[in-house]
Amino acid sequence: MGAYYSQGGSVCRLISTNYLEVCISHIIKPIEANRPDFVGEVIGIDLTRTLTDTEVDAIHTGMDRFGVLVFHNQHLEDEQQIAFSRQLGKLEEATGDIMSEKDRRLSMELNDISNLDKHGELLPRDDRRRLFGLGNLLWHSDSSFKDIPAKYSLLSARKIPGAGGNTEFADMRAAYDALEAKTKSEVHDLICAHSQIFSRGILGFDDFTDAERAKWAPVRQRLVRRHPKTGRLSLYLSSHAGGIEGWPIPEARSFLRDLNEHATKREFVYAHVWRPWDIVMWDNRVTMHRARPFDPQEVRDMRRTTLTNEVSSLEQGPI
Ligand code: OGA
Ligand code: MN
């Protein structure tokens, strides 16, 4: 396979020594024919080695278009996952969980999305870390509870259960486009309050220390975001959103509930059925995702690196 290069805004590669060129659509193709702009499968890129600048460009271009990219058969060690993620942007630290330092199984660059303790044993059913982690079953956008939220998340499947445990993704651009004009203008300038205390509260989890309550005080996020490159508008929803500035709480929460119901209709959703060594990368600015349940007696070992958005969602200029 030849080197990748940019031409006329699209990424191409030389296949033979002569001049056979393939446009980006041949290395990243929609996973579902009926949804040409949501979820692409990337073929022919090996993430275990250092990427060329044009491969990095191809991935960003693919993310701008598809919002979610799937890579199969990427046998990554932790250090390789971190190195590859760093090639795409600045990493966020894994400060969003309730793992104490002494209990951590993985380094601070990796979010531990598993049901294992640091010795590799299954967490007991009523373990606080497991119960907190069940919050991933609710539709959300990663780190929307941080002032500076996440840009891309990169989730690597190391060990998966025999059944269940899919991850679902919802396209918040398509969900925005499908709103009535009246709702579009209603949501346009709204600011929401996001906190992990809200999202965990939905499941009845409130076992937080004072330090965790202070660390996860609500932060402000726009409800409508504009993609800085494509200009497309999207709904910025998340289970962490528990209020709208200037609105009474029950009114805000019922409104957000209705928006979530709309935005996660099956027509906007792709369900990823994992294979070991898949990497799925998603753009948290334009998608929501959620985990699906599986047998708690089975091991599910997934590890996530996360790129920071570097600026707040509030800093996107007028829309
Ligand atoms: C995540 C997440 C869902 C899953 O890694 O951020 O929400 O299916 N994962 O594990
Ligand atoms: Mn998540």
Side-chain angles (χ1 to χ4, degrees), residues 113 136 140 142 155 166-167 274 282 289-291 300 304:
I113 313 291
N136 277 347
H140 65 281
D142 288 334
L155 189 59
N166 294 348
T167 307
W274 291 94
W282 61 89
H289 62 281
R290 66 170 180 177
R300 185 172 185 264
R304 194 188 89 207

